[in-house]
Amino acid sequence: MNEQTMELGHGVKALAGRLIPYFLAVAASFVAAGIFIAAMGFDVPKAYATILFTSFRTPNGFVQTLLKFVPLLLQALAFTVPLAAGKFNIGGEGQLIVGAIGATAVGILFAGLPLPLLLPLVILAGILFGGLWAAIPAWLLYRFGINEILTTVMMNFVSFSLIDYVATKIWRDPAAGHPMTVPIGAGGELPLLIARPPLNTGILLALFVAFVVYVYANRTPGGYELVATGANPRASRVYGIDVRKMFLLSLIIGGALAGLSGAIEVAGVQHRLIEGLQSNFLQMGIIIGLIARGNVLAVPFVAFFIAVLEVGASALQRTMMIPVEMVFIVEALVLLFVLLSDLVRRR
Amino acid sequence: VGQFEIQIVNFARLVMLALVPYVLAGQGTMLGGRTGLFSVSQEGVMLVGASVGFLGAYLYGSLVYGLLLAMLAGALFGLALAYFTTTLKMNQFVIGLALFFFGLGLSTLFYKFVIGVTLQPPLIPTLRDLPIPGLSQIPILGDIFFNQNWLVYFTILLSIFLYYLLYKTSFGLELRAVGENPRAADSLGVNVSLMRYATAIVGGMLMGLAGAYLPMVYTGTFTEGMVQGRGWIAIALTFFGGWSPHLILLGALFFAGVEVLALRVQVGGLGVPYQFLLMLPYIATILVMILAFKWIKAPAFLGQNYDRERRTLA
């Protein structure tokens, strides 16, 4: 008992110790970005206010932020789960696209089905296709020991052509100028949580999945083996864990999570397959996963923060003509400072 | 000369042209890897090279300025990689990814700040062919090898030079030793950190140059994501080439060949949807990796940081 209360007090202190470097990192990167913005001749306080508060000023801004948050959270988890096993999944983009293709295919082929049937099928197709797309590099790693960074990236490039093929050749919407498919059946659309501004129920799904991933990684034997593999593969092998199988599994789970994000983009946001729907979610997801240092519990919070930055950055481009890529630099700086703070603590 | 032969010569010429960015980025990767530094930021560094190279050439009206700026930018990325991994001992993959993102953002940011958003992209003149007197007159071979832009010659000569440096000099032996067994190299008086800094910086310069080649030879302008995976493919090429300069040059023939083939057949029209042809280079890369990982030995210390105060290597 005594030990537990001590642990609790220690836990609070540890949490504070963990959070302080984050705040310092964010502050430092804002200062650095501020210097850059000032040097370009822009109004720095106004830029800060825009980037931080756009999400909270209007209901529309907040809903925009939540809509960004969903794919970012899932992409970050798609990177974090394999990372926990010590593997780098850089293929979340392709897995999202192929998941979206799967979801769209089911949504179009079975367009007549009612919602209770079609919606689960659409979501499951996304998860399945994303998982299968990741299974290719995962198997190559398992069977031949091929570096997964390279193969997952290559699969992204393959998926760009695949989505182009589906959106221009198979189910092309002839009325649209930009390559996109015809809409999926109405039964495949995620119901709305809020009608105006429209927010779909994908966010509930994403949060639920994040919770499941947390439980899996922290409270189940399988998850324990996964984390152990990442922490020390050699010791895990001695202990009897099939390390290579854990690599395989972690990458496929990552692909399934990314595929789910694709299905939600289709079923919740676009209601069809549109070329470019993957946006830059992959890069953001990886940055989030790295900032969270692979901690599944921290991922949703970091993802929300990055979503706020992203929405703020779009506003920055609209109102102040500061290129949206600026936020990329800020995020990379946050990551760098977080990593550096790690180093300072180690000394 | 028959129509068919003309097509073959044309194809070979285009392959030699497409070879350059793969080889430059591959040699850059190889140099770092030989001292144990495994960079995964090639794509980002090449994008910055393409952006800065284009902007330099556009603003100063000289391709040489553009190339120098691109090399400088690449060197800075190499310096950052070396500092964070060799001095601060941070994870090479994580830093590599962070630098990749940095490059991704910076390349577009630079372009937007200098050029802004325009309807018509501004153009620079592309590199002219520089026929070598005498040699370019040789039938067939002259056209393929000696009637190209000077960066093609530079790339081939560089590969030969690197081969000589790595395998025929004591410096090359020391360099390779750092990537195989830094502790042994250290005990023999080789400055491990200095070697890593040097190869990272020179490697970065080559990657920057590889990026700048794209606007200067192909498009005449910078577009977002114009490297199109060549940086990542260069990593595969380096494995495929067994981390040896001469084999990287030869192996690049394959990747350049597939790239040209995908574009050529597309133009020719074969009934296959062009999307599947565009997938070719990436699928070919994956297939090549299967082969490469079966019989290629990478430097033993690849991807690991060396800490002379630690007792074990693992």
Side-chain angles (χ1 to χ4, degrees), chain A residues 145 150 161 164 168 325 332, chain B residues 102 104 112 232 274-275 289 293:
Chain A
L150 259 172
S161 297
D164 188 52
T168 59
E325 283 77 13
Chain B
F102 237 80
L104 210 62
K112 280 195 182 169
W232 295 104
Y274 70 90
Q275 288 96 345
M289 292 293 284
F293 268 72

Side-chain angles (χ1 to χ4, degrees), chain B residues 227-260:
Chain B
V227 177
Q228 290 183 319
R230 287 184 180 90
W232 295 104
I233 293 178
I235 302 180
L237 166 64
T238 313
F239 274 101
F240 185 50
W243 302 83
S244 301
H246 55 301
L247 295 178
I248 287 173
L249 179 65
L250 287 178
L253 283 172
F254 171 76
F255 291 97
V258 174
E259 182 192 306
V260 175

Side-chain angles (χ1 to χ4, degrees), chain B residues 2-310:
Chain B
Q3 190 65 34
F4 184 67
E5 279 159 51
I6 292 176
Q7 282 206 351
I8 294 286
V9 170
N10 254 336
F11 179 79
R13 261 185 64 85
L14 288 171
V15 170
M16 289 308 292
L17 200 67
L19 192 76
V20 174
Y22 292 111
V23 174
L24 289 176
Q27 305 293 22
T29 309
M30 180 277 298
L31 275 177
R34 281 297 188 168
T35 62
L37 266 183
F38 190 11
S39 162
V40 290
S41 51
Q42 288 85 345
E43 187 85 0
V45 180
M46 283 178 74
L47 275 167
V48 170
S51 169
V52 168
F54 163 74
L55 291 173
Y58 179 71
L59 293 177
Y60 299 107
S62 150
L63 293 182
V64 174
Y65 275 125
L67 290 172
L68 287 176
L69 269 179
M71 285 169 75
L72 178 68
L76 289 175
F77 271 83
L79 178 68
L81 177 72
Y83 177 70
F84 286 118
T85 60
T86 301
T87 302
L88 297 184
K89 312 259 184 276
M90 290 157 89
N91 184 301
Q92 295 188 10
F93 291 114
V94 172
I95 292 301
L97 283 176
L99 289 175
F100 161 58
F101 294 132
F102 237 80
L104 210 62
L106 274 185
S107 60
T108 307
L109 200 61
F110 283 151
Y111 181 85
K112 280 195 182 169
F113 270 133
V114 177
I115 306 287
V117 181
T118 54
L119 278 176
Q120 286 280 319
L123 292 176
I124 52 171
T126 48
L127 269 182
R128 272 198 308 271
D129 287 344
L130 194 74
I132 296 180
L135 291 175
S136 60
Q137 302 303 318
I138 304 171
I140 298 181
L141 291 184
D143 257 348
I144 297 172
F145 293 108
F146 303 111
N147 194 5
Q148 300 271 16
N149 68 64
W150 66 266
L151 275 170
V152 176
Y153 310 139
F154 170 78
T155 300
I156 296 170
L157 291 175
L158 175 84
S159 300
I160 297 171
F161 167 74
L162 286 176
Y163 174 77
Y164 175 80
L165 183 77
L166 245 65
Y167 293 109
K168 306 290 172 193
T169 68
S170 61
F171 174 79
L173 186 66
E174 290 176 356
L175 193 150
R176 285 184 288 136
V178 172
E180 294 297 337
N181 191 338
R183 184 161 304 270
D186 194 4
S187 67
L188 290 174
V190 178
N191 189 335
V192 173
S193 295
L194 189 66
M195 278 287 191
R196 287 195 162 189
Y197 268 90
T199 54
I201 290 171
V202 175
M205 288 165 84
L206 292 179
M207 292 172 200
L209 199 59
Y213 185 83
L214 301 171
M216 291 186 188
V217 170
Y218 289 120
T219 57
T221 188
F222 172 79
T223 49
E224 235 178 298
M226 72 181 302
V227 177
Q228 290 183 319
R230 287 184 180 90
W232 295 104
I233 293 178
I235 302 180
L237 166 64
T238 313
F239 274 101
F240 185 50
W243 302 83
S244 301
H246 55 301
L247 295 178
I248 287 173
L249 179 65
L250 287 178
L253 283 172
F254 171 76
F255 291 97
V258 174
E259 182 192 306
V260 175
L261 202 68
L263 291 171
R264 285 269 108 176
V265 179
Q266 203 179 315
V267 176
L270 237 164
V272 184
Y274 70 90
Q275 288 96 345
F276 290 97
L277 295 170
L278 288 180
M279 290 177 191
L280 266 183
Y282 311 112
I283 295 176
T285 302
I286 293 176
L287 294 179
V288 160
M289 292 293 284
I290 297 177
L291 289 179
F293 268 72
K294 277 202 150 166
W295 39 259
I296 291 307
K297 197 177 146 289
F301 217 67
L302 188 65
Q304 297 174 50
N305 293 329
Y306 170 62
D307 189 343
R308 71 188 313 183
E309 279 152 37
R310 266 177 65 181

